[in-house]
Amino acid sequence: QVLIVDAKVRSAYISDAKVHAELSGREKLPEIKLQVENQDLDYGGLLKALDITDKVTGKLDFQLEALGRGQRLPALLAAADGTLRIKGGAGTIDYDQLRLWAGGLTEMLVPAKVQDTQESQVNCLAAYIELEPGLLRSKGIVLDTELATIGGAFKVTLPSEALQGAFQ
């Protein structure tokens, strides 16, 4: 018993996304295979439409491939294998909104010279993240803004969500 879905998604915020999903109930735990490829996701427009903020702009491309087993999302993620690649171009970031979303993590990631700045232009961003059973690990993240370039890596142990990282 396998349910397979292939779709193309387009909206005001997604110019072209291809989705392939497979759900299998052959094993004791459901298995989900997911492949998503997106071009030009307007995350600024999406955040505005969701009434989250109108102070962030930009577009990004991403590729997600994941395979996991579990009854609920935390178990599924803790047992999954996969990759996520993200690349983005020009945009703006509002540091007050970032602080709201990421809390104290922002203070660790944002350089001191930027702390008092409210907004910055983003030149580009890129990230490569791997998911393996019990671990979410970035192989590298770079965010280049007009004020600073932030690069580094992190790992999150699942399901405890313990975070370790180094950024410069």
Side-chain angles (χ1 to χ4, degrees):
Q1 303 171 357
V2 177
L3 172 65
I4 298 174
V5 176
D6 286 304
K8 282 191 172 187
V9 179
R10 291 195 175 136
S11 76
Y13 313 107
I14 301 170
S15 64
D16 184 26
K18 296 175 188 142
V19 179
H20 175 83
E22 296 179 19
L23 175 60
S24 172
R26 291 185 287 204
E27 302 293 326
K28 191 172 186 176
L29 291 174
E31 179 178 271
I32 297 174
K33 179 180 181 181
L34 183 62
Q35 296 172 309
V36 180
E37 186 174 326
N38 182 80
Q39 305 249 331
D40 291 329
L41 170 68
D42 180 0
Y43 60 88
L46 187 58
L47 292 171
K48 183 177 180 178
L50 294 171
D51 287 328
I52 295 173
T53 183
D54 61 354
K55 298 179 180 181
V56 174
T57 65
K59 293 184 178 184
L60 59 82
D61 301 340
F62 70 88
Q63 294 175 313
L64 169 69
E65 293 186 23
L67 174 65
R69 291 178 188 81
Q71 296 284 357
R72 296 178 182 248
L73 186 58
L76 183 87
L77 288 174
D81 281 303
T83 59
L84 173 62
R85 291 177 174 88
I86 300 171
K87 67 177 181 176
T92 57
I93 188 167
D94 181 281
Y95 291 108
D96 288 337
Q97 292 296 316
L98 187 60
R99 285 182 192 89
L100 180 66
W101 299 334
L105 188 58
T106 305
E107 305 307 318
M108 292 188 312
L109 299 179
V110 177
K113 72 178 183 179
V114 179
Q115 294 285 339
D116 295 330
T117 305
Q118 187 169 354
E119 183 178 284
S120 179
Q121 294 297 312
V122 173
N123 299 318
C124 66
L125 65 98
Y128 179 72
I129 299 168
E130 290 183 344
L131 180 61
E132 55 190 66
L135 196 60
L136 178 76
R137 178 191 333 253
S138 74
K139 294 295 188 174
I141 298 175
V142 175
L143 172 64
D144 182 38
T145 73
E146 66 182 338
L147 299 173
T149 301
I150 302 168
F154 69 86
K155 73 176 182 178
V156 179
T157 305
L158 302 168
S160 69
E161 299 179 7
L163 172 69
Q164 293 178 317
F167 289 86
Q168 182 174 333

